[in-house]
Amino acid sequence: AVSCVWLQALAVLTSQLSGASGLASLPAASALGDAAYQSFRSLHPHHLPSDLHDLAAAASASRKGARNASVVPKVDGNVTTEYEPVKCTDYLYRHPNTIECPAGCPFLRMEPDGVCKFTCVRADQCGADDPLKSFPDRDAMQCGPCTVSACQACGTSSNSCGVCQEGFILDGGECHDKSRWFWRSFYFVCFCGVVYGMMYVVLVFLRPITNKEVCHQALSFRIASRMHNPATGEEYPLIGTDVCNSYVAGVGVMLHFSWQWWMMIFSLAVAVSLLAMGTVFGKRVALLKNTMEKNHFDSCNLKVRDQKEQVAKMEFFYFVLVLVIYITTTAFAFWFAVRQRRLGAKVAAETTTMQDYVLLASGLPKMSGTMKVEELLTEAFEKALEGVDAEVVGVSPCWDFRIFKGSVEEQVCFEMELLETETEARMIEAGKEDITPLRSAKTSARGSARDSSRRRMLDSEGPISKEFRRLDQYLGIRFDVDEDNDDIKPEDRKPRALKAMVEALYTTGQAYVVLRTEAQRNRALTHLQENPPKVFDKEITVVAEDSEPETILWSNLGTKPGEIVSNIIIGCVVLVIAVFLLDIIFYFPSVAYLISVSSVVGHSDGGLQGTILGLLVCACNQIVYFLIGLIADRCGFRSIDDHQRFYVVGYTASVFINTLIDLCVVMLLAQGYTMEQAITSQISSDSSMSVKSIAENPAVQMTVYLKFSEYIFPSCLLIPFLAEPLVCHFVFQVKKWIVRSRPDVSVQQAEIQLACPPFDLARYGDILINVMLCCGTLAFTYRDLYILWICLFVSLVMIYCWDKYRFLRVSSRSVFVSQALDITAQHLSSVPCAICAACLVFRLYGMKDVEGNQFLAKWFHVKDWVDSEAAKVGRLVNRDTIMLVISVVIVLHIYVHTWALKNLVPRWADVVEKHDEEVDYQTTSEHIPCNWFNGNPIHVLRSKYLFEHKSPVVAYVVGREYLLQPVPELGCYYDMADTLLARKHGHHQKVHQTWSGQLGEVKDSFHELKTDVLEKIGRPRSISGNSPDSPKSVDPAAKV
């Protein structure tokens, strides 16, 4: 403080001596004293005596008088510079306090496309290149920020608007969205809907429990359908199961979790490297000041050359770091691709599955269901393999039953219900009296009792509860109490009609041929490819099948390849239109409204605004998620692996494009631009959103990065993955409460509603999109980049933990045996690497004109080489070609990367693994419940209704493996029924004990609350149909 005081006094003395005697011998002391005084005054404005303030004012007036001279002596660093008078069209690279603008353009404007670059402009030109700094501050004679939301031009002050942007109205100096009442009404309706939904959930929870045993059965089935070891029936432990390196549910699942694990390592490595670089540049230079701050001019008053050199150092070292990240990431991608393929080959060699025994025969004639197709084809292949050591176990033809898909699936479910009834009856006869005979009871008695219970339930409810009960149908539980498939008697389903249905079908021209061992399969494949057999004078082709029967979509086998291609094209067109309409109708107006109500024009400060934006992004992505799922279902893929490949690619591409559009809109609006301004010439010029400004101005770059990071976190990295497990558990609980309170819900319907959803591999898309977005941040020179990558790492850890738990405990058994999806993900991984290459080009463009050239020349003594190379880069990458060069680099890298994955990686990963090819089909079939015969629903129905086998083939259904019976003559050997049935019984008892314990705990706590609520909403306390005044007449069977 003492130094600042004396230096300021020296500055005053110097200015007085210079003005009085014409001496200019102490300009350095004057500038130094003025700089020290301004720095101290900005920190301690109230700690200087009044006389020093007067001296400072006198010195300032003296300097202003000197600016009117023809030649102005000023100091820049350690060199005295003489400046010519300023013109309105000049670009000035000087200290702002040395610039005196002429009367024709009296306001000083900081240009966004350069470091400490200024121009003198008129008042109406302040916001030409940066709408957020459109206010002409007449006190400082500078163009400053306008802090009014959605303001095009400020009024008398920076806090009062004069002209609003299009779509907004001016009211009391503030801008209001014209559609604000619509959005407020929309939010109010949403709020009312949330309140209504909460009331519904509370009333569902308070409903009397009238269907407890059915709910117990459904929960037992939920546990039985989860992932378990088919050989032992035991569930896989959460902690000890290595899903990254062991075969649990196919090679595809294992490679998926391995991919997630290594993506965590990759994100952590990048975060650590960025953290180390940020530690080197721990002190933020003044030039990296937010351009929205009122004192952003001050950063150009002190040691500009030192600051520029510091920024140049950061540019250079971050360029080198991004180059290292790009090279190592690309090398890592190739190494990881080789590792994944070798791991898949190793595990596949160690495991014997159903695909090791089967051949896919194509080109067969289409045969009618009236023919005994299975026997004819078996004889034909046995004849074709005469003289070859290969035994045919059986043939499973592919059938086109798309028009009967609903009837076939319903009949298979009904067949399982009949088997369940017989199983329960056997258990009761065996002395297990603690099993409730829900399915084995007489249909008429059960239907009569349940009808009576339904009527008592409906009569006892008030009008409010009845209306809320109608909402159950939106969760999949029908309100029509008279509709109950479980009450249909078995004799009502006539075998003749079922036989006629299967006879009306035709084959697709393909069939699965099952051999006794893998070695025999290989010999048969070689023989049949060298000597193609003929069936009914048609030559057929034979290939090895790479799918499991559990992954075949049997109902889609009738879809022709041409139909699949046309469906894909139509689906992609529909998806593009849907995304476009989603952005135009829903997303853009919502973002515009959110930005219009923020505290600063277009700037979201996080908090509530960031959360709402995150929820909006989640909603849009979920809509895209749902649409791509519908399109994938309608394409007609023949296997789950193909379905998931299309789903992941389509989901990743659509959500990434949608995210880029959303991000551009957010950043445009956040910088104060309207869409009309962006579409015209604003962005292509040297505006605050031009590529040149972002590349060369560190302050603009930091501002853009902050908005970029606000969009990524928490909208993309946190909120979706926190909400997913909560929503899944919430929906399950509500469905459980509905089932336990609805006596009209059958066992079959309860099992369908409470069953675990299948596991999917869509997480490839979610992770790739987040990695792409984080790779895009490498274009910025900012020391806090590591924070976003740490957030990415935490997000990936959270995703991995939730997916592992979801796979082992919350999903039904799902098998993915193909490496095709992992290979597809490896090709998609070329996009993040290409984005890193684009960031390098962007950084190179930003470095070519800054003082980094002198920095490199001073450090490496290669000034001439640096200047020549910078000139070459400037000719190649300039304002007009930068976007083209970036696009070419991205496309070129993706092309080379995918070419290497297709042609080089298979050679590097070509390792021969030893595999036991002599394992008998019977041995494998005894441990794997699903085979090529019981997985084919038409084959199952034909076995019972056409061939009328004494012991027909039992259909494979996830969660009902205990119903499978060995039929050796038909190729079925799985014999774990007793073990799995006993385990299912244990699950039922566990659910019953858990239920009873939970019910006892909450019964006392909620009894009084429950009674009060029921009285207030008008429902009688009694759960029977009697009057509440006669509690003694309550039916004991209807009590909870």
Side-chain angles (χ1 to χ4, degrees), residues 316-379:
F316 174 74
F317 283 110
Y318 271 91
F319 174 82
V320 174
L321 177 60
V322 175
L323 178 62
V324 172
I325 291 175
Y326 167 66
I327 294 175
T328 55
T329 300
T330 305
F332 169 77
F334 290 125
W335 171 84
F336 184 68
V338 173
R339 177 199 177 272
Q340 289 286 87
R341 299 197 186 193
R342 288 183 176 178
L343 177 62
K346 177 183 177 182
V347 174
E350 296 173 352
T351 309
T352 302
T353 61
M354 286 297 166
Q355 69 173 354
D356 297 327
Y357 300 95
V358 71
L359 296 174
L360 176 61
S362 304
L364 295 168
K366 294 185 178 181
M367 292 179 277
S368 170
T370 57
M371 304 172 61
K372 295 187 177 182
V373 180
E374 293 82 357
E375 296 179 357
L376 292 175
L377 292 180
T378 301
E379 294 176 359

Side-chain angles (χ1 to χ4, degrees), residues 401-453:
F401 62 98
R402 288 174 292 175
I403 58 176
F404 297 106
K405 179 180 177 181
S407 300
V408 170
E409 291 177 351
E410 181 183 357
Q411 183 60 32
V412 170
C413 291
F414 183 76
E415 296 292 335
M416 304 309 292
E417 286 292 306
L418 293 180
L419 288 174
E420 189 81 29
T421 300
E422 297 174 359
T423 303
E424 288 184 355
R426 288 199 305 269
M427 293 181 68
I428 294 175
E429 292 177 359
K432 298 182 179 180
E433 299 177 355
D434 51 349
I435 296 296
T436 304
L438 293 176
R439 290 186 174 89
S440 58
K442 295 293 183 180
T443 301
S444 59
R446 182 174 70 255
S448 177
R450 292 173 63 185
D451 285 342
S452 176
S453 179

Side-chain angles (χ1 to χ4, degrees), residues 1015-1033:
E1015 290 179 351
K1016 290 180 180 180
I1017 64 176
R1019 185 197 297 175
R1021 293 186 186 182
S1022 174
I1023 61 174
S1024 70
N1026 299 294
S1027 172
D1029 298 331
S1030 56
K1032 294 183 180 179
S1033 60

Side-chain angles (χ1 to χ4, degrees), residues 942-993:
R942 286 171 62 86
S943 174
K944 181 175 182 179
Y945 295 103
L946 183 67
F947 292 98
E948 297 180 352
H949 292 136
K950 182 178 180 181
S951 297
V953 177
V954 178
Y956 167 77
V957 177
V958 175
R960 301 190 189 279
E961 295 88 349
Y962 55 88
L963 298 177
L964 298 177
Q965 299 294 329
V967 188
E969 62 273 13
L970 299 179
C972 299
Y973 297 92
Y974 189 74
D975 190 11
M976 294 286 292
D978 295 337
T979 302
L980 295 178
L981 192 59
R983 194 165 302 283
K984 177 179 180 293
H985 173 62
H987 293 331
H988 182 82
Q989 296 298 324
K990 180 180 179 181
V991 169
H992 181 77
Q993 294 172 3

Side-chain angles (χ1 to χ4, degrees), residues 242-297:
D242 184 9
V243 293
C244 298
N245 299 289
S246 59
Y247 189 99
V248 177
V251 175
V253 175
M254 178 191 66
L255 296 179
H256 173 72
F257 280 103
S258 177
W259 184 82
Q260 285 197 31
W261 177 264
W262 282 98
M263 290 303 291
M264 287 190 293
I265 296 177
F266 162 73
S267 62
L268 181 62
V270 175
V272 171
S273 62
L274 291 173
L275 176 60
M277 186 62 70
T279 304
V280 173
F281 298 97
K283 185 178 180 180
R284 182 178 300 167
V285 297
L287 290 177
L288 292 176
K289 182 178 291 186
N290 194 329
T291 59
M292 286 301 299
E293 297 181 11
K294 288 187 176 182
N295 58 347
H296 64 285
F297 279 77

Side-chain angles (χ1 to χ4, degrees), residues 724-738:
E724 182 178 335
L726 298 178
V727 171
C728 290
H729 184 71
F730 174 77
V731 172
F732 164 69
Q733 287 294 337
V734 173
K735 286 189 175 184
K736 185 178 73 172
W737 296 338
I738 293 174

